[in-house]
Amino acid sequence: MRVFFDLIRHVFAFMKFFDESLPEEHLENFYMEREWRVAGFVPFNLHDVQRVYVAPGYGDRIEHEFSGLMIQELAF
């Protein structure tokens, strides 16, 4: 049982499963994202964030939800 919980905490928590049936433009198709993941909590405030990089088409949504951030849409 301990091995199972260690797998959940240290392995499965860092995995994102791929759904090949989603079209490339689907909102939930963001498997190629790159982010840092850590076990536990990383304390920060919104004013600690200086810039947010988003996929094309998401800039307005992020600016609406988090006004004041510098948003840069990436071009692919």
Side-chain angles (χ1 to χ4, degrees):
M1 196 63 150
R2 162 91 190 216
V3 171
F4 176 71
F5 286 113
D6 283 346
L7 279 172
I8 290 175
R9 183 173 177 211
H10 298 292
V11 177
F12 297 145
F14 299 96
M15 297 175 72
K16 179 164 178 58
F17 296 98
F18 182 72
D19 181 356
E20 75 281 356
S21 68
L22 293 178
E24 190 170 318
E25 65 278 355
H26 193 278
L27 291 176
E28 296 296 322
N29 186 355
F30 49 90
Y31 302 101
M32 301 310 288
E33 68 185 10
R34 300 290 183 253
E35 64 183 47
W36 291 20
R37 296 181 185 206
V38 296
F41 182 71
V42 177
F44 71 93
N45 294 309
L46 190 55
H47 71 269
D48 295 323
V49 178
Q50 293 185 9
R51 182 172 294 187
V52 177
Y53 296 95
V54 298
Y58 285 89
D60 291 339
R61 178 178 170 187
I62 299 300
E63 285 178 356
H64 175 74
E65 293 184 29
F66 303 100
S67 62
L69 288 178
M70 180 181 287
I71 308 298
Q72 183 172 348
E73 288 193 13
L74 300 175
F76 296 99

